[in-house]
């Protein structure tokens, strides 16, 4: 009778000595015709299988190459090697999939991140991407767990949206019309009433407006889904397709919103430190000696909380030369955000009460007539990681703002209905999953924390 396969993680962590085991995985290296390092993605650590080459057929042995997929049966024994508790004394092996040693792009050496982006279909087999992808999974799970434990309802907001008024950047159109000869209206414009949905539709840039509808019924909801922005910003912090988490809470004011955001961020970082320790240790060793320390620092220190107006004063007094000059009313750039976080406060910062002219129409209007109850959370190395606000719950004020901004009130009839029927103070925010991952993994480019990045001119795989 054949034995059941065990994942390598389980063997390394609590495999019983002298047990007969069966593993399956991909060869990382095969040294001296004797030591196979093999990995199945369940952990950053490889397990070593020792082969007594005299016992095996030479042509079979020659098929054990970097990248090949193998199944190995043998006895689990204590390892004499450094840094590994156990190894396998190979009794039988079977090649499940050959890999041509010269053609396989992943050689046992350190490749550049740029090169690995050109082979995104294979890079999950590297130590770095294995670690990043396992952490990405653990972080997603931690986020669901956090909100579930707090009684939030996971609300699935639409990915295809008919509202082009979410106001958070350029959108990707969704259409089934003939791209060469679309039907036209009398005045020569594309006639979207003949399109699939009978109107112009796009991929969503945010689930917030629909999220608010949910909060006005279920009290506390969150969304967690893909988000699309056709902004042509080729930066290390922007993707055209990214994942966003957007909690929305009835009866929360801006202070409640800040408290939730801070508790949430600390909680999910703690989860990763506790549950992805090996992967964090690996990334700390390979990429950023301070990584683990930075994560612990965020958990153990209060975030600074200041107003936009105070932040501008600090930046003006800083004596720092910025590429984009600072004065009251400007939108803060990453360089300003990072100065506040890294140089001035030396800890995460929550900035509130931004000028209304640089923020979205739905944000709560403050009594000063100039600012709104916005809230951005700024992190070291990243800058903005969360954008949020208390929402304007007053029907008249909201309609006035919509008119001031020359938006069409009719487009928002369903959104405005929440302010007509049982309106309530409420707040929410959006966390970009990949921005959070940049922070947690120490990676420096957002293309390296998502399996298949979508950026301008790049969507092959
Ligand atoms: P930024 O000013 O950095 O471009 P934003 O103000 O447009 O961001 P929001 O609309 O407030 O972003 O979105 C909420 C969160 O979503 C941001 O705080 C960030 O974490 C994330 N985010 C926004 N745009 C992107 C993007 N293009 N790629 C990855 N994450 C993003
Ligand atoms: Mn923002």
């Amino acid at each position: 009778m054949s034995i059941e396969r065990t994942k390598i993680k389980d063997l390394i962590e609590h495999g019983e000595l002298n047990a007969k085991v069966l593993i399956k995985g991909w060869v990382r290296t095969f040294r001296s015709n004797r030591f196979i390092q093999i990995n199945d993605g369940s952990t950053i650590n490889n397990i070593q299988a020792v082969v007594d080459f005299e016992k095996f057929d030479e042509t079979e042995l020659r098929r054990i190459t970097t990248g090949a997929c193998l199944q190995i049966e043998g006895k689990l024994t204590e390892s004499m090697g450094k840094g590994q508790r156990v190894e396998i004394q190979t009794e039988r092996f079977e090649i499940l999939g050959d890999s041509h040693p010269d053609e396989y792009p992943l050689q046992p050496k350190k490749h550049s991140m740029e090169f690995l982006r050109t082979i995104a279909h294979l890079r999950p087999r590297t130590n770095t991407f294995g670690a990043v992808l396992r952490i990405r999974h653990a972080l997603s799970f931690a986020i669901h767990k956090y909100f579930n434990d707090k009684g939030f309802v996971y609300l699935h907001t639409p990915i295809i949206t008919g509202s082009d008024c979410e106001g958070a950047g350029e959108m990707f159109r969704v259409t089934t019309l003939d791209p060469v000869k679309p039907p036209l209206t009398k005045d020569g414009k594309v006639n979207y009433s003949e399109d699939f949905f009978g109107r112009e539709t796009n991929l969503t840039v945010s689930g917030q407006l629909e999220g608010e509808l949910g909060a006005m019924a279920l009290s506390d909801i969150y969304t967690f889904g893909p988000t699309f922005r056709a902004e042509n910003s080729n930066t290390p912090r922007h993707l055209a397709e990214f994942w966003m988490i957007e909690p929305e809470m009835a009866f929360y004011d801006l202070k409640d919103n800040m408290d939730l955001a801070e508790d949430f961020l600390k909680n999910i970082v703690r989860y990763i430190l506790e549950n992805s320790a090996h992967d964090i240790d690996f990334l700390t060793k390979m990429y950023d000696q301070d990584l683990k320390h930075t994560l612990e620092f965020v958990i153990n220190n209060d975030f600074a909380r200041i107003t936009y107006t105070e932040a501008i004063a600090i930046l003006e007094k800083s004596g720092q030369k910025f590429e984009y000059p600072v004065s009251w009313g400007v939108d803060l750039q990453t360089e300003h955000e990072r100065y506040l976080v890294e140089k001035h406060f030396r800890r995460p910062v929550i900035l509130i009460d931004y000028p209304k002219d640089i923020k979205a129409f739905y944000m709560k209007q403050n009594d000063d007539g100039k600012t709104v109850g916005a809230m951005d959370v700024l992190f070291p190395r990243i800058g903005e990681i969360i954008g949020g606000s208390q929402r304007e719950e007053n029907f008249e004020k909201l309609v006035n703002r919509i008119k001031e901004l020359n938006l069409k009130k009719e487009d928002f009839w369903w959104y405005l209905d929440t302010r007509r029927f049982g309106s309530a103070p409420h707040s929410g925010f959006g966390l970009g999953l990949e921005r959070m991952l940049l922070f947690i993994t120490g990676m420096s480019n957002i293309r390296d924390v998502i399996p298949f990045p979508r950026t301008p001119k790049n969507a092959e795989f």
Side-chain angles (χ1 to χ4, degrees), residues 252-258 352-353 373-375 389-390 427:
Y252 270 51
D253 64 14
L254 193 61
K255 161 94 172 29
D256 302 325
N257 205 18
M258 286 193 273
I352 60 165
D353 296 340
M375 159 191 111
S389 69
Q390 184 168 348
S427 301

Side-chain angles (χ1 to χ4, degrees), residues 359 376 384 387:
K359 288 292 181 184
D376 279 10
E384 180 189 330

Side-chain angles (χ1 to χ4, degrees), residues 58 95 148 174 251 262 312 449:
E58 211 191 308
I95 309 280
N148 182 61
V174 176
F251 320 119
E262 183 167 342
I312 293 293
V449 294

Side-chain angles (χ1 to χ4, degrees), residues 179-191:
V180 183
K181 266 194 161 181
L184 299 178
T185 58
K186 279 198 212 80
D187 42 1
K189 296 202 176 113
V190 175
N191 187 358

